[in-house]
Amino acid sequence: MNKRWTIGKINEFVENNSESKLLTTEYHGFSQKLLFKCACGSNFEKTFTKFKNNNQRKCDICQPPQAAR
């Protein structure tokens, strides 16, 4: 299923599924890094794909990156 994400739908997903806030105001595609504000106050960038599918929903301080396999 190819779901077309808009900045509004992404913002709604972020609000409903994390403690972070979306700061980016435009969405240009899945490879674009979006700017988020973590619950701790730090800003971080992730693609929406990583945010949504890999549960990377906090900054690297609150949720350190997983080691490569």
Side-chain angles (χ1 to χ4, degrees):
M1 181 174 109
N2 186 7
K3 186 172 187 177
R4 293 276 180 195
W5 288 94
T6 63
I7 196 69
K9 288 180 182 177
I10 292 171
N11 193 34
E12 188 176 316
F13 180 89
V14 172
E15 287 179 1
N16 293 333
N17 295 285
S18 75
E19 296 175 12
S20 299
K21 289 183 72 96
L22 179 65
L23 300 179
T24 301
T25 57
E26 293 182 10
Y27 181 61
H28 300 288
F30 69 93
S31 62
Q32 173 193 356
K33 286 193 173 185
L34 303 173
L35 183 63
F36 299 92
K37 184 183 264 317
C38 184
C40 74
S42 298
N43 290 351
F44 66 100
E45 286 186 326
K46 293 266 193 283
T47 62
F48 183 59
T49 303
K50 284 185 176 180
F51 187 90
K52 181 172 68 76
N53 297 339
N54 298 349
N55 286 327
Q56 296 178 8
R57 299 182 182 170
K58 295 183 179 178
C59 68
D60 290 344
I61 298 165
C62 294
Q63 183 179 18
Q66 297 174 344
R69 293 180 184 168

Short mmCIF file of all heavy atoms in Angstrom, two decimals:
data_model
loop_
_atom_site.label_atom_id
_atom_site.label_comp_id
_atom_site.label_asym_id
_atom_site.label_seq_id
_atom_site.Cartn_x
_atom_site.Cartn_y
_atom_site.Cartn_z
N MET A 1 0.85 -1.18 0.00
CA MET A 1 0.00 0.00 0.00
C MET A 1 0.90 1.24 0.00
O MET A 1 1.76 1.39 0.85
CB MET A 1 -0.87 -0.02 1.25
CG MET A 1 -1.81 1.14 1.36
SD MET A 1 -2.90 0.94 2.77
CE MET A 1 -2.25 2.19 3.83
N ASN A 2 0.70 2.11 -0.94
CA ASN A 2 1.51 3.32 -1.03
C ASN A 2 0.72 4.47 -0.43
O ASN A 2 -0.15 5.04 -1.06
CB ASN A 2 1.86 3.60 -2.49
CG ASN A 2 2.82 4.76 -2.62
OD1 ASN A 2 3.33 5.27 -1.62
ND2 ASN A 2 3.07 5.18 -3.84
N LYS A 3 1.02 4.79 0.82
CA LYS A 3 0.31 5.86 1.50
C LYS A 3 1.04 7.17 1.27
O LYS A 3 2.23 7.27 1.51
CB LYS A 3 0.25 5.56 3.00
CG LYS A 3 -0.58 6.52 3.79
CD LYS A 3 -0.74 6.04 5.22
CE LYS A 3 -1.71 6.92 5.96
NZ LYS A 3 -1.93 6.45 7.31
N ARG A 4 0.35 8.17 0.77
CA ARG A 4 0.95 9.47 0.52
C ARG A 4 0.96 10.26 1.83
O ARG A 4 -0.09 10.58 2.38
CB ARG A 4 0.15 10.23 -0.52
CG ARG A 4 0.21 9.62 -1.87
CD ARG A 4 1.45 10.09 -2.57
NE ARG A 4 1.54 9.49 -3.89
CZ ARG A 4 2.63 9.48 -4.60
NH1 ARG A 4 3.73 10.00 -4.12
NH2 ARG A 4 2.64 8.94 -5.78
N TRP A 5 2.13 10.56 2.31
CA TRP A 5 2.26 11.32 3.54
C TRP A 5 2.34 12.81 3.22
O TRP A 5 3.06 13.22 2.33
CB TRP A 5 3.51 10.89 4.32
CG TRP A 5 3.36 9.55 4.94
CD1 TRP A 5 3.76 8.35 4.42
CD2 TRP A 5 2.76 9.25 6.19
NE1 TRP A 5 3.43 7.34 5.28
CE2 TRP A 5 2.83 7.85 6.38
CE3 TRP A 5 2.18 10.03 7.20
CZ2 TRP A 5 2.34 7.22 7.52
CZ3 TRP A 5 1.69 9.39 8.32
CH2 TRP A 5 1.77 8.00 8.48
N THR A 6 1.61 13.60 3.96
CA THR A 6 1.70 15.05 3.88
C THR A 6 2.28 15.54 5.20
O THR A 6 2.31 14.79 6.19
CB THR A 6 0.31 15.69 3.66
OG1 THR A 6 -0.50 15.40 4.82
CG2 THR A 6 -0.36 15.16 2.41
N ILE A 7 2.71 16.79 5.24
CA ILE A 7 3.28 17.31 6.49
C ILE A 7 2.23 17.28 7.60
O ILE A 7 2.55 17.01 8.75
CB ILE A 7 3.88 18.73 6.28
CG1 ILE A 7 4.80 19.10 7.44
CG2 ILE A 7 2.80 19.77 6.06
CD1 ILE A 7 6.07 18.31 7.51
N GLY A 8 0.97 17.45 7.26
CA GLY A 8 -0.10 17.38 8.26
C GLY A 8 -0.27 15.99 8.84
O GLY A 8 -0.42 15.81 10.05
N LYS A 9 -0.24 14.98 7.97
CA LYS A 9 -0.37 13.59 8.42
C LYS A 9 0.84 13.17 9.24
O LYS A 9 0.72 12.44 10.22
CB LYS A 9 -0.54 12.65 7.23
CG LYS A 9 -1.89 12.76 6.56
CD LYS A 9 -2.00 11.80 5.40
CE LYS A 9 -3.33 11.92 4.69
NZ LYS A 9 -3.40 11.05 3.52
N ILE A 10 2.03 13.63 8.82
CA ILE A 10 3.24 13.30 9.57
C ILE A 10 3.18 13.94 10.96
O ILE A 10 3.48 13.29 11.97
CB ILE A 10 4.50 13.78 8.81
CG1 ILE A 10 4.68 12.94 7.55
CG2 ILE A 10 5.74 13.69 9.70
CD1 ILE A 10 5.76 13.44 6.62
N ASN A 11 2.76 15.20 11.02
CA ASN A 11 2.66 15.89 12.31
C ASN A 11 1.67 15.16 13.23
O ASN A 11 1.93 14.99 14.42
CB ASN A 11 2.23 17.34 12.09
CG ASN A 11 2.42 18.18 13.33
OD1 ASN A 11 3.35 17.97 14.10
ND2 ASN A 11 1.53 19.13 13.53
N GLU A 12 0.56 14.72 12.68
CA GLU A 12 -0.44 13.98 13.46
C GLU A 12 0.15 12.66 13.97
O GLU A 12 -0.03 12.29 15.13
CB GLU A 12 -1.65 13.71 12.57
CG GLU A 12 -2.84 13.13 13.30
CD GLU A 12 -4.04 12.98 12.38
OE1 GLU A 12 -4.34 13.92 11.61
OE2 GLU A 12 -4.67 11.91 12.44
N PHE A 13 0.91 11.95 13.11
CA PHE A 13 1.55 10.70 13.52
C PHE A 13 2.53 10.96 14.67
O PHE A 13 2.56 10.22 15.65
CB PHE A 13 2.27 10.06 12.34
CG PHE A 13 2.96 8.76 12.67
CD1 PHE A 13 2.29 7.56 12.57
CD2 PHE A 13 4.28 8.74 13.11
CE1 PHE A 13 2.90 6.37 12.90
CE2 PHE A 13 4.91 7.56 13.45
CZ PHE A 13 4.21 6.37 13.34
N VAL A 14 3.34 12.01 14.53
CA VAL A 14 4.34 12.34 15.56
C VAL A 14 3.64 12.65 16.89
O VAL A 14 4.04 12.14 17.94
CB VAL A 14 5.20 13.53 15.11
CG1 VAL A 14 6.10 14.02 16.24
CG2 VAL A 14 6.05 13.15 13.90
N GLU A 15 2.59 13.45 16.85
CA GLU A 15 1.86 13.81 18.07
C GLU A 15 1.23 12.60 18.74
O GLU A 15 1.23 12.50 19.97
CB GLU A 15 0.78 14.85 17.77
CG GLU A 15 1.33 16.22 17.47
CD GLU A 15 0.23 17.23 17.14
OE1 GLU A 15 -0.96 16.86 17.15
OE2 GLU A 15 0.58 18.39 16.85
N ASN A 16 0.71 11.66 17.95
CA ASN A 16 0.01 10.50 18.51
C ASN A 16 0.93 9.36 18.92
O ASN A 16 0.52 8.49 19.67
CB ASN A 16 -1.02 9.97 17.49
CG ASN A 16 -2.14 10.95 17.27
OD1 ASN A 16 -2.47 11.76 18.13
ND2 ASN A 16 -2.74 10.90 16.10
N ASN A 17 2.18 9.34 18.42
CA ASN A 17 3.02 8.17 18.63
C ASN A 17 4.36 8.46 19.29
O ASN A 17 5.20 7.56 19.37
CB ASN A 17 3.27 7.47 17.28
CG ASN A 17 1.99 6.93 16.71
OD1 ASN A 17 1.47 5.93 17.17
ND2 ASN A 17 1.46 7.60 15.71
N SER A 18 4.58 9.67 19.75
CA SER A 18 5.85 9.97 20.41
C SER A 18 5.69 11.18 21.32
O SER A 18 4.67 11.86 21.30
CB SER A 18 6.94 10.25 19.37
OG SER A 18 6.75 11.53 18.81
N GLU A 19 6.74 11.43 22.09
CA GLU A 19 6.76 12.62 22.94
C GLU A 19 7.46 13.78 22.23
O GLU A 19 7.54 14.87 22.77
CB GLU A 19 7.48 12.30 24.25
CG GLU A 19 6.78 11.25 25.07
CD GLU A 19 7.58 10.85 26.31
OE1 GLU A 19 8.56 11.54 26.64
OE2 GLU A 19 7.21 9.84 26.92
N SER A 20 7.97 13.53 21.02
CA SER A 20 8.68 14.55 20.26
C SER A 20 7.69 15.44 19.52
O SER A 20 6.52 15.10 19.36
CB SER A 20 9.63 13.89 19.26
OG SER A 20 10.58 13.11 19.93
N LYS A 21 8.20 16.59 19.05
CA LYS A 21 7.39 17.51 18.25
C LYS A 21 8.08 17.68 16.90
O LYS A 21 9.30 17.74 16.82
CB LYS A 21 7.29 18.88 18.92
CG LYS A 21 6.44 18.88 20.17
CD LYS A 21 6.33 20.28 20.75
CE LYS A 21 5.48 21.18 19.93
NZ LYS A 21 4.11 21.28 20.37
N LEU A 22 7.28 17.78 15.86
CA LEU A 22 7.80 18.02 14.52
C LEU A 22 7.99 19.52 14.33
O LEU A 22 7.07 20.30 14.54
CB LEU A 22 6.81 17.49 13.47
CG LEU A 22 7.20 17.69 12.02
CD1 LEU A 22 8.46 16.89 11.68
CD2 LEU A 22 6.06 17.27 11.11
N LEU A 23 9.22 19.93 13.93
CA LEU A 23 9.51 21.34 13.70
C LEU A 23 9.51 21.70 12.22
O LEU A 23 9.30 22.85 11.86
CB LEU A 23 10.87 21.71 14.32
CG LEU A 23 10.98 21.51 15.83
CD1 LEU A 23 12.38 21.88 16.30
CD2 LEU A 23 9.94 22.31 16.58
N THR A 24 9.75 20.72 11.36
CA THR A 24 9.77 20.95 9.92
C THR A 24 8.36 21.32 9.45
O THR A 24 7.38 20.77 9.94
CB THR A 24 10.26 19.68 9.19
OG1 THR A 24 11.57 19.37 9.67
CG2 THR A 24 10.31 19.87 7.70
N THR A 25 8.28 22.24 8.48
CA THR A 25 6.96 22.69 8.02
C THR A 25 6.65 22.26 6.59
O THR A 25 5.53 22.47 6.12
CB THR A 25 6.86 24.23 8.10
OG1 THR A 25 7.92 24.80 7.33
CG2 THR A 25 6.95 24.70 9.54
N GLU A 26 7.62 21.66 5.89
CA GLU A 26 7.37 21.17 4.53
C GLU A 26 7.94 19.77 4.40
O GLU A 26 8.96 19.45 4.99
CB GLU A 26 8.04 22.08 3.50
CG GLU A 26 7.44 23.46 3.42
CD GLU A 26 8.11 24.31 2.35
OE1 GLU A 26 8.89 23.76 1.55
OE2 GLU A 26 7.84 25.52 2.31
N TYR A 27 7.26 18.94 3.59
CA TYR A 27 7.70 17.57 3.37
C TYR A 27 7.89 17.35 1.88
O TYR A 27 6.97 17.57 1.10
CB TYR A 27 6.68 16.58 3.94
CG TYR A 27 7.05 15.13 3.79
CD1 TYR A 27 8.21 14.63 4.38
CD2 TYR A 27 6.27 14.26 3.06
CE1 TYR A 27 8.57 13.30 4.26
CE2 TYR A 27 6.61 12.92 2.92
CZ TYR A 27 7.76 12.45 3.53
OH TYR A 27 8.12 11.13 3.41
N HIS A 28 9.11 16.93 1.49
CA HIS A 28 9.43 16.78 0.07
C HIS A 28 9.70 15.33 -0.33
O HIS A 28 10.08 15.09 -1.46
CB HIS A 28 10.65 17.64 -0.28
CG HIS A 28 10.42 19.09 -0.03
ND1 HIS A 28 9.59 19.87 -0.81
CD2 HIS A 28 10.88 19.90 0.94
CE1 HIS A 28 9.57 21.10 -0.33
NE2 HIS A 28 10.35 21.16 0.73
N GLY A 29 9.53 14.38 0.58
CA GLY A 29 9.74 12.99 0.20
C GLY A 29 10.43 12.20 1.30
O GLY A 29 10.96 12.75 2.26
N PHE A 30 10.42 10.89 1.12
CA PHE A 30 10.88 9.98 2.17
C PHE A 30 12.37 10.10 2.50
O PHE A 30 12.79 9.74 3.58
CB PHE A 30 10.54 8.52 1.81
CG PHE A 30 11.33 8.00 0.65
CD1 PHE A 30 12.52 7.32 0.87
CD2 PHE A 30 10.89 8.17 -0.65
CE1 PHE A 30 13.26 6.82 -0.20
CE2 PHE A 30 11.62 7.69 -1.72
CZ PHE A 30 12.80 7.01 -1.50
N SER A 31 13.19 10.63 1.59
CA SER A 31 14.62 10.73 1.86
C SER A 31 14.99 12.03 2.58
O SER A 31 16.13 12.19 3.02
CB SER A 31 15.42 10.62 0.57
OG SER A 31 15.09 11.69 -0.29
N GLN A 32 14.04 12.94 2.74
CA GLN A 32 14.29 14.21 3.41
C GLN A 32 14.41 14.01 4.91
O GLN A 32 13.60 13.32 5.53
CB GLN A 32 13.14 15.18 3.12
CG GLN A 32 13.22 16.47 3.90
CD GLN A 32 11.93 17.27 3.84
OE1 GLN A 32 10.99 16.90 3.16
NE2 GLN A 32 11.89 18.35 4.57
N LYS A 33 15.42 14.63 5.52
CA LYS A 33 15.52 14.61 6.98
C LYS A 33 14.60 15.68 7.54
O LYS A 33 14.57 16.81 7.04
CB LYS A 33 16.96 14.86 7.43
CG LYS A 33 17.84 13.66 7.19
CD LYS A 33 19.15 13.80 7.92
CE LYS A 33 19.92 12.51 7.79
NZ LYS A 33 21.15 12.53 8.57
N LEU A 34 13.84 15.30 8.55
CA LEU A 34 12.92 16.22 9.20
C LEU A 34 13.50 16.64 10.54
O LEU A 34 14.22 15.87 11.18
CB LEU A 34 11.56 15.53 9.42
CG LEU A 34 10.88 14.99 8.17
CD1 LEU A 34 9.64 14.20 8.56
CD2 LEU A 34 10.52 16.11 7.23
N LEU A 35 13.18 17.83 10.98
CA LEU A 35 13.68 18.35 12.25
C LEU A 35 12.62 18.13 13.33
O LEU A 35 11.46 18.51 13.15
CB LEU A 35 14.01 19.83 12.12
CG LEU A 35 14.62 20.50 13.34
CD1 LEU A 35 15.98 19.87 13.69
CD2 LEU A 35 14.78 22.00 13.11
N PHE A 36 13.04 17.50 14.42
CA PHE A 36 12.16 17.21 15.55
C PHE A 36 12.73 17.85 16.80
O PHE A 36 13.93 18.09 16.90
CB PHE A 36 12.06 15.70 15.78
CG PHE A 36 11.49 14.92 14.63
CD1 PHE A 36 12.32 14.37 13.67
CD2 PHE A 36 10.13 14.73 14.51
CE1 PHE A 36 11.81 13.64 12.61
CE2 PHE A 36 9.59 14.01 13.45
CZ PHE A 36 10.44 13.46 12.50
N LYS A 37 11.88 18.07 17.80
CA LYS A 37 12.31 18.48 19.12
C LYS A 37 11.95 17.37 20.08
O LYS A 37 10.79 16.99 20.20
CB LYS A 37 11.66 19.79 19.55
CG LYS A 37 12.17 20.30 20.90
CD LYS A 37 11.48 21.55 21.35
CE LYS A 37 12.16 22.84 21.05
NZ LYS A 37 13.55 23.01 21.24
N CYS A 38 12.96 16.84 20.75
CA CYS A 38 12.77 15.74 21.70
C CYS A 38 12.10 16.27 22.97
O CYS A 38 12.12 17.47 23.25
CB CYS A 38 14.14 15.13 22.02
SG CYS A 38 14.06 13.68 23.09
N ALA A 39 11.54 15.36 23.77
CA ALA A 39 10.92 15.75 25.03
C ALA A 39 11.92 16.41 25.97
O ALA A 39 11.55 17.23 26.81
CB ALA A 39 10.30 14.51 25.69
N CYS A 40 13.22 16.09 25.83
CA CYS A 40 14.24 16.68 26.69
C CYS A 40 14.61 18.10 26.25
O CYS A 40 15.34 18.79 26.95
CB CYS A 40 15.49 15.80 26.71
SG CYS A 40 16.48 15.87 25.20
N GLY A 41 14.15 18.53 25.08
CA GLY A 41 14.44 19.87 24.60
C GLY A 41 15.47 19.92 23.48
O GLY A 41 15.66 20.97 22.87
N SER A 42 16.14 18.81 23.21
CA SER A 42 17.14 18.77 22.14
C SER A 42 16.47 18.64 20.78
O SER A 42 15.46 17.95 20.65
CB SER A 42 18.09 17.59 22.33
OG SER A 42 18.79 17.70 23.53
N ASN A 43 17.04 19.29 19.77
CA ASN A 43 16.57 19.12 18.40
C ASN A 43 17.35 17.98 17.75
O ASN A 43 18.53 17.78 18.06
CB ASN A 43 16.77 20.39 17.59
CG ASN A 43 15.84 21.50 18.04
OD1 ASN A 43 14.94 21.30 18.83
ND2 ASN A 43 16.06 22.68 17.52
N PHE A 44 16.70 17.22 16.87
CA PHE A 44 17.38 16.15 16.15
C PHE A 44 16.74 15.98 14.79
O PHE A 44 15.60 16.39 14.57
CB PHE A 44 17.35 14.84 16.95
CG PHE A 44 15.99 14.24 17.16
CD1 PHE A 44 15.55 13.19 16.36
CD2 PHE A 44 15.14 14.70 18.15
CE1 PHE A 44 14.30 12.62 16.55
CE2 PHE A 44 13.88 14.14 18.35
CZ PHE A 44 13.46 13.09 17.54
N GLU A 45 17.51 15.39 13.88
CA GLU A 45 17.02 15.16 12.52
C GLU A 45 16.96 13.66 12.24
O GLU A 45 17.86 12.92 12.59
CB GLU A 45 17.95 15.80 11.49
CG GLU A 45 17.86 17.30 11.42
CD GLU A 45 18.69 17.87 10.28
OE1 GLU A 45 19.75 17.30 9.97
OE2 GLU A 45 18.25 18.87 9.70
N LYS A 46 15.88 13.25 11.61
CA LYS A 46 15.70 11.86 11.17
C LYS A 46 14.82 11.91 9.93
O LYS A 46 14.00 12.80 9.76
CB LYS A 46 14.96 11.04 12.22
CG LYS A 46 15.68 10.78 13.51
CD LYS A 46 16.40 9.46 13.47
CE LYS A 46 16.88 9.01 14.80
NZ LYS A 46 18.04 9.62 15.35
N THR A 47 14.97 10.90 9.08
CA THR A 47 13.99 10.76 8.00
C THR A 47 12.71 10.24 8.62
O THR A 47 12.73 9.59 9.68
CB THR A 47 14.47 9.79 6.91
OG1 THR A 47 14.63 8.49 7.48
CG2 THR A 47 15.77 10.25 6.27
N PHE A 48 11.58 10.52 7.99
CA PHE A 48 10.31 10.03 8.55
C PHE A 48 10.27 8.51 8.54
O PHE A 48 9.71 7.89 9.43
CB PHE A 48 9.12 10.62 7.78
CG PHE A 48 7.80 10.20 8.36
CD1 PHE A 48 7.48 10.48 9.67
CD2 PHE A 48 6.89 9.50 7.60
CE1 PHE A 48 6.27 10.09 10.22
CE2 PHE A 48 5.67 9.10 8.13
CZ PHE A 48 5.37 9.40 9.45
N THR A 49 10.91 7.88 7.54
CA THR A 49 10.94 6.42 7.47
C THR A 49 11.59 5.84 8.73
O THR A 49 11.07 4.90 9.33
CB THR A 49 11.69 5.96 6.21
OG1 THR A 49 11.06 6.55 5.07
CG2 THR A 49 11.66 4.44 6.07
N LYS A 50 12.74 6.39 9.12
CA LYS A 50 13.42 5.91 10.33
C LYS A 50 12.58 6.19 11.56
O LYS A 50 12.47 5.36 12.46
CB LYS A 50 14.79 6.57 10.49
CG LYS A 50 15.83 6.01 9.57
CD LYS A 50 17.18 6.61 9.87
CE LYS A 50 18.24 5.97 9.00
NZ LYS A 50 19.57 6.54 9.26
N PHE A 51 11.99 7.37 11.62
CA PHE A 51 11.16 7.74 12.76
C PHE A 51 9.99 6.78 12.91
O PHE A 51 9.71 6.28 13.99
CB PHE A 51 10.65 9.17 12.58
CG PHE A 51 9.93 9.73 13.77
CD1 PHE A 51 10.63 10.42 14.74
CD2 PHE A 51 8.57 9.58 13.89
CE1 PHE A 51 9.96 10.94 15.85
CE2 PHE A 51 7.90 10.09 14.99
CZ PHE A 51 8.60 10.78 15.97
N LYS A 52 9.34 6.50 11.80
CA LYS A 52 8.12 5.68 11.82
C LYS A 52 8.42 4.19 11.95
O LYS A 52 7.88 3.52 12.81
CB LYS A 52 7.32 5.94 10.53
CG LYS A 52 6.02 5.16 10.42
CD LYS A 52 5.20 5.61 9.24
CE LYS A 52 5.78 5.28 7.91
NZ LYS A 52 5.64 3.89 7.51
N ASN A 53 9.29 3.66 11.10
CA ASN A 53 9.48 2.21 11.02
C ASN A 53 10.52 1.67 12.01
O ASN A 53 10.42 0.52 12.42
CB ASN A 53 9.90 1.81 9.61
CG ASN A 53 8.81 2.12 8.59
OD1 ASN A 53 7.64 2.27 8.93
ND2 ASN A 53 9.20 2.24 7.34
N ASN A 54 11.51 2.47 12.36
CA ASN A 54 12.58 1.98 13.24
C ASN A 54 12.43 2.45 14.67
O ASN A 54 13.34 2.26 15.48
CB ASN A 54 13.95 2.43 12.70
CG ASN A 54 14.23 1.86 11.33
OD1 ASN A 54 13.53 0.98 10.84
ND2 ASN A 54 15.26 2.37 10.69
N ASN A 55 11.31 3.08 14.99
CA ASN A 55 11.06 3.57 16.34
C ASN A 55 12.18 4.46 16.86
O ASN A 55 12.50 4.43 18.04
CB ASN A 55 10.81 2.41 17.31
CG ASN A 55 9.45 1.80 17.11
OD1 ASN A 55 8.50 2.49 16.76
ND2 ASN A 55 9.33 0.51 17.31
N GLN A 56 12.79 5.25 15.99
CA GLN A 56 13.81 6.21 16.42
C GLN A 56 13.11 7.54 16.67
O GLN A 56 13.17 8.45 15.87
CB GLN A 56 14.89 6.35 15.34
CG GLN A 56 15.65 5.07 15.12
CD GLN A 56 16.69 5.20 14.01
OE1 GLN A 56 16.95 6.29 13.52
NE2 GLN A 56 17.27 4.08 13.63
N ARG A 57 12.42 7.61 17.81
CA ARG A 57 11.52 8.73 18.07
C ARG A 57 12.03 9.70 19.12
O ARG A 57 11.27 10.52 19.63
CB ARG A 57 10.15 8.20 18.45
CG ARG A 57 9.58 7.38 17.30
CD ARG A 57 8.22 6.84 17.54
NE ARG A 57 7.84 6.05 16.37
CZ ARG A 57 6.79 5.27 16.32
NH1 ARG A 57 5.99 5.18 17.36
NH2 ARG A 57 6.52 4.58 15.23
N LYS A 58 13.31 9.59 19.47
CA LYS A 58 13.92 10.51 20.43
C LYS A 58 15.28 10.91 19.92
O LYS A 58 15.81 10.32 18.98
CB LYS A 58 14.05 9.84 21.80
CG LYS A 58 12.72 9.51 22.44
CD LYS A 58 12.90 8.93 23.81
CE LYS A 58 11.54 8.63 24.42
NZ LYS A 58 11.66 8.02 25.74
N CYS A 59 15.88 11.93 20.55
CA CYS A 59 17.21 12.38 20.14
C CYS A 59 18.25 11.30 20.48
O CYS A 59 17.96 10.35 21.21
CB CYS A 59 17.55 13.70 20.83
SG CYS A 59 17.79 13.57 22.61
N ASP A 60 19.46 11.47 19.96
CA ASP A 60 20.51 10.48 20.18
C ASP A 60 20.97 10.42 21.64
O ASP A 60 21.57 9.44 22.07
CB ASP A 60 21.72 10.77 19.29
CG ASP A 60 21.41 10.48 17.82
OD1 ASP A 60 20.41 9.79 17.54
OD2 ASP A 60 22.18 10.95 16.96
N ILE A 61 20.68 11.45 22.42
CA ILE A 61 21.04 11.45 23.84
C ILE A 61 20.06 10.58 24.62
O ILE A 61 20.45 9.75 25.43
CB ILE A 61 21.05 12.89 24.40
CG1 ILE A 61 22.12 13.72 23.67
CG2 ILE A 61 21.29 12.90 25.91
CD1 ILE A 61 22.00 15.21 23.85
N CYS A 62 18.77 10.75 24.36
CA CYS A 62 17.73 9.98 25.05
C CYS A 62 17.62 8.55 24.53
O CYS A 62 17.25 7.64 25.25
CB CYS A 62 16.38 10.67 24.91
SG CYS A 62 16.29 12.26 25.74
N GLN A 63 17.89 8.36 23.25
CA GLN A 63 17.81 7.05 22.61
C GLN A 63 19.03 6.89 21.73
O GLN A 63 19.00 7.20 20.54
CB GLN A 63 16.53 6.96 21.78
CG GLN A 63 16.30 5.61 21.15
CD GLN A 63 15.00 5.59 20.35
OE1 GLN A 63 14.45 6.61 20.00
NE2 GLN A 63 14.53 4.41 20.05
N PRO A 64 20.16 6.39 22.32
CA PRO A 64 21.39 6.27 21.54
C PRO A 64 21.19 5.38 20.31
O PRO A 64 20.40 4.44 20.35
CB PRO A 64 22.36 5.61 22.52
CG PRO A 64 21.80 5.89 23.87
CD PRO A 64 20.30 5.96 23.68
N PRO A 65 21.90 5.69 19.22
CA PRO A 65 21.79 4.85 18.01
C PRO A 65 22.18 3.41 18.30
O PRO A 65 23.07 3.17 19.11
CB PRO A 65 22.78 5.49 17.03
CG PRO A 65 23.08 6.83 17.59
CD PRO A 65 22.84 6.78 19.06
N GLN A 66 21.50 2.50 17.64
CA GLN A 66 21.82 1.09 17.82
C GLN A 66 23.10 0.76 17.07
O GLN A 66 23.38 1.32 16.02
CB GLN A 66 20.68 0.21 17.30
CG GLN A 66 19.38 0.43 18.07
CD GLN A 66 18.22 -0.34 17.46
OE1 GLN A 66 18.28 -0.79 16.33
NE2 GLN A 66 17.15 -0.46 18.21
N ALA A 67 23.88 -0.15 17.64
CA ALA A 67 25.12 -0.56 17.01
C ALA A 67 24.83 -1.27 15.70
O ALA A 67 23.84 -2.01 15.57
CB ALA A 67 25.90 -1.48 17.94
N ALA A 68 25.67 -1.06 14.71
CA ALA A 68 25.50 -1.74 13.42
C ALA A 68 25.75 -3.23 13.60
O ALA A 68 26.57 -3.65 14.42
CB ALA A 68 26.47 -1.16 12.41
N ARG A 69 25.06 -4.01 12.80
CA ARG A 69 25.20 -5.46 12.92
C ARG A 69 26.43 -5.95 12.20
O ARG A 69 26.87 -5.47 11.25
CB ARG A 69 23.99 -6.16 12.33
CG ARG A 69 22.76 -5.89 13.14
CD ARG A 69 21.57 -6.59 12.53
NE ARG A 69 20.38 -6.24 13.29
CZ ARG A 69 19.19 -6.49 12.88
NH1 ARG A 69 18.96 -7.08 11.75
NH2 ARG A 69 18.15 -6.17 13.62
#
